[in-house]
């Protein structure tokens, strides 16, 4: 007896679900855990170079920062467990990477690679929770990780300044990523299931989707490239810090472009809308 062919109209589409919400909570907790742990680990250095930060200024006690980092990490892993085993399988190495980076790796040559891995794993956490698989999201994670690698390399010189080659390399990386994001995808075969782009992360060939992706990619390039270029001309601490801030803010339109590339225009638009808010917020509070 032959099996009946599956009806394409009844194929279950993968999209946001309650597990996605658990993964978002997990990501936020692990991110904030890293922030608290970073301040705790850098309290002596910050006392000399950034005395205005919470721990050197006395607004937060070191024990409180370490306790918060532990509690947030545990909460992040618990939320990932609620999102499912695939999500927890990604959240666990993400938490290990965050702690390893803050407690030692960031001062070693592999520090930028560790930070890039953390950003990539954070993206894969959402994919694992939503679809139960990370394979389709690996290209997007690689692009985000590459941007983070270049940005973190620049940030290592933000207090002392450094060689112009570092921001110049980040500028070249930005150009390469923009090219990859704006390149028109191959035409989708007529027999391909229409639900597959949302499931697999395959770039959508629709003209509107491509235009949205290009717009977000150009916003990413403009946000990151200008401060990188200025730092390459004059790698002084102030301009290097502006380059780092620009690279951090550029992560928002980059992730919007990646969402558009994965046939998620609503997510892309929502993410892109956060960019002006981030720019305004950055004028009041330093993002570095």
């Amino acid at each position: 007896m032959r099996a009946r062919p599956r009806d394409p109209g009844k194929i279950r589409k993968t999209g946001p679900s309650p597990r996605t919400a658990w993964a978002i909570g997990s990501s936020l907790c692990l991110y904030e855990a890293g922030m608290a742990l970073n301040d705790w680990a850098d309290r002596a250095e910050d006392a000399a170079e950034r005395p205005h930060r919470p721990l050197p200024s006395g607004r937060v006690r070191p024990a409180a920062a370490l306790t918060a980092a532990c509690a947030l990490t545990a909460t992040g892993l618990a939320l990932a467990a609620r999102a499912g085993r695939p999500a927890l399988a990604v959240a666990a190495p993400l938490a290990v990477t965050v702690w390893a980076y803050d407690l030692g790796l960031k001062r070693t040559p592999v520090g930028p690679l560790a930070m890039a891995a953390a950003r990539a794993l954070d993206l894969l956490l959402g994919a694992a929770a939503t679809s139960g698989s990370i394979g389709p999201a690996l290209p997007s994670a690689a692009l985000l990780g590459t941007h983070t690698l270049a940005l973190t390399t620049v940030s290592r010189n933000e207090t002392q300044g450094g060689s112009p080659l570092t921001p110049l390399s980040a500028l070249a990386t930005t150009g390469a990523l923009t090219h990859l994001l704006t390149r028109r995808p191959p035409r989708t075969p007529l027999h391909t299931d229409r639900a597959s782009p949302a499931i697999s992360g395959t770039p959508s060939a629709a003209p509107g989707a491509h235009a949205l992706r290009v717009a977000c990619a150009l916003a990413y390039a403009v946000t990151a490239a200008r401060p990188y270029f200025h730092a390459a001309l004059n790698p002084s601490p102030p301009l290097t810090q502006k380059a780092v801030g620009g690279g951090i803010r550029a992560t928002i339109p980059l992730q919007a472009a990646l969402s558009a590339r994965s046939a998620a225009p609503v997510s892309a638009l929502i993410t892109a809308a956060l960019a002006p808010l981030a720019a305004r917020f950055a004028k009041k509070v330093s993002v570095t």
Side-chain angles (χ1 to χ4, degrees), residues 89-255:
V90 176
L94 172 57
V96 171
T97 303
V98 168
W99 278 74
Y101 176 83
D102 284 335
L103 295 182
L105 288 183
K106 65 181 172 183
R107 294 181 176 84
T108 70
V110 300
L113 288 173
M115 176 59 77
R119 292 294 188 187
L121 286 169
D122 186 56
L123 187 150
L124 295 177
L125 172 60
T130 302
S131 66
S133 173
I134 65 171
L138 287 174
S140 293
L143 293 177
L144 180 60
T146 300
H147 166 74
T148 305
L149 175 62
L151 170 61
T152 309
T153 303
V154 173
S155 71
R156 293 165 75 90
N157 299 318
E158 64 176 320
T159 56
Q160 296 88 13
S163 168
L165 292 179
T166 303
L168 193 60
S169 298
L171 181 62
T173 300
T174 301
L177 292 179
T178 303
H179 171 71
L180 291 174
L181 289 168
T182 55
R183 186 173 57 183
R184 183 175 292 276
R187 187 177 299 274
T188 304
L190 294 178
H191 65 273
T192 300
D193 172 28
R194 292 182 181 274
S196 62
I199 296 174
S200 66
T202 302
S204 172
H210 180 69
L212 176 60
R213 178 155 56 94
V214 170
C216 293
L218 292 179
Y220 157 69
V222 170
T223 305
R226 184 177 179 181
Y228 282 158
F229 178 71
H230 289 166
L233 293 177
N234 179 13
S236 62
L239 290 181
T240 302
Q241 290 171 15
K242 289 184 178 180
V244 174
I248 293 174
R249 294 193 303 275
T251 305
I252 296 176
L254 171 59
Q255 293 185 111

